[in-house]
């Protein structure tokens, strides 16, 4: 299948060629024709599947044919869970719209940057707004944004927005936009809460799923290396030299650990930086751009900062500290092996991580061979499982006794 067969016009095909997209990914293949024929879509798609272009391309196609006269009006609103994803989606609109007779004006609304500048950009006239919901609400409260001409409402990576009071924010947003519009929903999972949101937003949506044998994580070679916690830093240095990995994303448990280890690796002469939620947006953007441009080789990051990261050339993801949940494991390793490339994910585990990693394996339906690296072998013994003291019968009151007493008091 080629992009031209999907019904996209020559100016967009030119932008695709310019970006090196040769053929549509499975999600693009399925979603683009439905959007072009004005259907609501509810797609199940992972990051790395090419889902952004699956809505960006047909929206631009339709928009460019109906621009209308006068000052630009906001026709498209995309909500995303993170600042990084917002900027990436906005960038995709810009690059795919580059050769259109009239280029779309795209504004990103994200926290951590001046709201005044964002309001100014909207006032000047824009066609497409990409936003995180929090900042969008702040902007709506200023009553300086007109969403009454909206045609497309998109939720990207919607399942990651479910917490943080999103349902309430969504209601506020729905009040501001026309009820007749085209809705496009993208989510990796559809738990009941997500389905409720889907039914609140979409009308007769077409469901699109990508067969389970196509997830991007299949392209990822996963390794697990047993090493003592204290030896993880030296092992990482050894591997960086022996395996010659180029761009490496290393996940740490918290911000402090991220800063500390980045400083250490810099001292050893590596091009390393830390990346976490406490950095101001300008620093985050700068670091990401430097990593993309390969001026940084090793990025030490927390989970929060890495959500939605879209960098094609990550050679290897390291779980220096294990993720808390199996879902985070899949999310982390999905940062490599993107856009059809192969990838590598390596997890370091010590004795006390064994049970937790076994759980991750079980939930992710994988089973990995434990490796050890010569000179960095795991030593010591697994910690004894500490059991609490056996309950002693007759000491203290049982729950039942307490309930009985309460009931007796109530009756007496
Ligand atoms: P997404 O899942 O939208 O975050 O896209 C993941 C990555 O795949 C992005 O870096 C895109 O630039 C890239 N990509 C998307 N569609 C294609 C395509 N058809 N051919 C090559 N790369 C693509």
């Amino acid at each position: 299948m080629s992009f031209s067969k999907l019904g996209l016009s020559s100016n967009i095909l030119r932008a695709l060629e310019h970006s090196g997209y040769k053929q549509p990914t499975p999600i693009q293949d399925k979603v683009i024709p439905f959007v072009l024929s004005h259907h609501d879509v509810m797609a199940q798609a992972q990051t790395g599947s090419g889902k952004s272009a699956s809505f960006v391309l047909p929206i631009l196609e339709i928009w460019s044919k109906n621009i209308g006269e006068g000052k630009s009006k906001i026709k498209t609103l995309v909500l995303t869970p993170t600042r990084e994803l917002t900027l990436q989606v906005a960038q995709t609109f810009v690059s795919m719209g580059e050769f259109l007779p009239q280029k779309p004006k795209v504004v990103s609304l994200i926290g951590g940057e001046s709201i005044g500048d964002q309001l100014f950009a909207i006032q000047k006239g824009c066609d497409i707004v990409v936003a995180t919901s929090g900042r969008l609400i702040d902007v709506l409260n200023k009553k300086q944004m007109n969403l009454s001409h909206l045609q497309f409402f998109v939720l990207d990576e919607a399942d990651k927005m479910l917490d943080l009071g999103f349902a309430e924010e969504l209601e506020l947003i729905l009040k501001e936009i026309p009820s007749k519009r085209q809705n496009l929903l993208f989510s990796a999972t559809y738990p009941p809460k997500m389905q409720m949101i889907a039914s609140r937003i979409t009308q007769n949506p077409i469901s699109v799923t990508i067969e389970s044998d196509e997830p991007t994580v299949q392209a990822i070679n996963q390794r697990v290396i047993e090493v003592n916690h204290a030896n993880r830093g030296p092992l990482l240095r050894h591997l960086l030299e022996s395996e010659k990995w180029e761009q490496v994303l290393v996940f740490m448990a918290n911000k402090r650990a991220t800063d500390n280890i980045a400083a250490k690796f810099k001292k050893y002469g590596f091009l390393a930086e830390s990346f976490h939620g406490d950095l101001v947006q300008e620093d985050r953007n700068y670091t990401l751009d430097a990593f993309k441009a390969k001026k940084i080789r090793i990025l030490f990051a927390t989970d929060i900062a890495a959500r939605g990261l879209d960098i094609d050339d990550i050679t290897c993801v390291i779980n220096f500290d294990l993720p808390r949940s199996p879902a985070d494991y899949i999310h982390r390793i999905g940062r490599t092996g993107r856009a059809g490339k192969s990838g590598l994910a390596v997890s370091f585990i010590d004795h006390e991580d064994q049970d937790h990693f076994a759980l991750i394996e079980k939930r992710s339906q994988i089973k990995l061979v434990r490796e050890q690296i010569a000179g960095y072998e795991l030593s010591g013994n697994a910690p004894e499982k500490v059991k609490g003291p056996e309950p002693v019968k007759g000491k203290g009151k049982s729950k039942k006794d307490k309930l009985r007493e309460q009931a007796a008091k109530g009756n007496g």
Side-chain angles (χ1 to χ4, degrees), residues 258-401:
T258 308
D259 281 337
N260 289 345
I261 193 163
K264 257 193 210 157
F265 271 65
K266 271 194 225 173
K267 247 195 222 158
Y268 288 122
F270 288 97
L271 295 168
E273 270 312 329
S274 67
F275 188 66
H276 53 68
D278 271 1
L279 299 177
V280 295
Q281 190 63 36
E282 215 184 321
D283 288 343
R284 283 205 203 188
N285 296 350
Y286 180 81
T287 303
L288 271 193
D289 287 344
F291 190 53
K292 281 187 194 170
K294 307 198 173 162
K295 288 181 193 144
I296 292 172
R297 180 181 173 202
I298 310 150
L299 196 63
F300 291 98
T302 56
D303 281 289
I304 287 293
R307 286 214 170 252
L309 266 196
D310 171 26
I311 301 174
D312 284 349
D313 283 333
I314 294 179
T315 330
C316 177
V317 166
I318 309 263
N319 289 317
F320 195 92
D321 292 309
L322 285 183
R324 280 203 207 118
S325 73
D328 281 340
Y329 177 79
I330 296 292
H331 189 79
R332 283 183 179 188
I333 71 169
R335 304 295 105 201
T336 174
R338 291 168 74 76
K341 295 186 183 142
S342 61
L344 172 68
V346 179
S347 301
F348 290 165
I349 60 170
D350 198 346
H351 292 296
E352 56 262 39
D353 302 316
Q354 298 281 359
D355 286 353
H356 184 48
F357 197 76
L359 186 73
I360 290 175
E361 286 180 302
K362 194 169 158 209
R363 295 274 169 78
S364 320
Q365 299 180 340
I366 48 166
K367 188 84 194 123
L368 304 180
V369 178
R370 270 63 177 156
E371 293 176 47
Q372 298 207 11
I373 304 292
Y376 303 88
E377 290 89 349
L378 186 63
S379 60
N381 295 320
E384 293 267 320
K385 290 212 167 102
V386 191
K387 277 191 186 158
E390 293 288 328
V392 184
K393 281 222 161 176
K395 278 205 175 162
K397 289 171 186 163
S398 73
K399 226 179 185 175
K400 251 188 206 161
D401 284 343

Side-chain angles (χ1 to χ4, degrees), residues 149-358:
H149 300 279
L150 201 77
Q151 288 178 345
F152 295 98
F153 184 46
V154 184
L155 296 193
D156 194 7
E157 303 201 1
D159 50 348
K160 295 196 203 122
M161 296 190 244
L162 284 179
D163 40 2
L164 318 164
F166 178 66
E168 281 165 42
E169 289 178 340
L170 189 62
E171 290 307 319
L172 293 174
I173 295 164
L174 289 176
K175 272 194 207 139
E176 303 280 332
I177 63 180
S179 53
K180 194 170 172 302
R181 48 170 207 264
Q182 194 174 348
N183 302 288
L184 310 172
L185 185 61
F186 293 82
S187 183
T189 56
Y190 279 87
K193 222 168 154 188
M194 191 64 238
Q195 284 176 13
M196 263 166 61
I197 286 183
S199 62
R200 177 77 184 87
I201 296 172
T202 56
Q203 281 183 352
N204 303 324
I206 295 190
S207 292
V208 173
T209 46
I210 297 304
E211 301 306 320
S212 54
D213 60 342
E214 289 167 340
T216 42
V217 288
Q218 301 254 319
I220 300 167
N221 175 18
Q222 300 171 59
R223 294 170 59 183
V224 53
I225 300 179
E226 294 179 321
V227 56
N228 291 102
H229 266 188
N231 247 345
R232 289 173 300 174
L235 173 63
L236 179 57
R237 293 209 309 274
H238 167 76
L239 291 173
L240 284 167
E241 272 150 29
S242 62
E243 309 254 345
K244 308 216 172 355
W245 294 322
E246 285 166 18
Q247 297 299 102
V248 186
L249 176 63
V250 185
F251 281 101
M252 308 296 298
N254 57 54
K255 295 169 197 164
R256 209 160 43 150
T258 308
D259 281 337
N260 289 345
I261 193 163
K264 257 193 210 157
F265 271 65
K266 271 194 225 173
K267 247 195 222 158
Y268 288 122
F270 288 97
L271 295 168
E273 270 312 329
S274 67
F275 188 66
H276 53 68
D278 271 1
L279 299 177
V280 295
Q281 190 63 36
E282 215 184 321
D283 288 343
R284 283 205 203 188
N285 296 350
Y286 180 81
T287 303
L288 271 193
D289 287 344
F291 190 53
K292 281 187 194 170
K294 307 198 173 162
K295 288 181 193 144
I296 292 172
R297 180 181 173 202
I298 310 150
L299 196 63
F300 291 98
T302 56
D303 281 289
I304 287 293
R307 286 214 170 252
L309 266 196
D310 171 26
I311 301 174
D312 284 349
D313 283 333
I314 294 179
T315 330
C316 177
V317 166
I318 309 263
N319 289 317
F320 195 92
D321 292 309
L322 285 183
R324 280 203 207 118
S325 73
D328 281 340
Y329 177 79
I330 296 292
H331 189 79
R332 283 183 179 188
I333 71 169
R335 304 295 105 201
T336 174
R338 291 168 74 76
K341 295 186 183 142
S342 61
L344 172 68
V346 179
S347 301
F348 290 165
I349 60 170
D350 198 346
H351 292 296
E352 56 262 39
D353 302 316
Q354 298 281 359
D355 286 353
H356 184 48
F357 197 76

Side-chain angles (χ1 to χ4, degrees), residues 1-10 12-14 16 21-25 28-34 36-37 57-58 61:
M1 192 41 125
S2 69
F3 279 110
S4 57
K5 295 215 176 86
L6 292 178
L8 298 167
S9 56
S10 59
I12 291 193
L13 296 177
R14 207 173 139 204
L16 283 164
Y21 290 21
K22 296 204 169 58
Q23 50 184 11
T25 63
Q28 291 162 2
D29 218 9
K30 289 188 180 165
V31 169
I32 291 172
F34 289 130
L36 288 176
S37 55
L57 296 169
E61 181 74 39

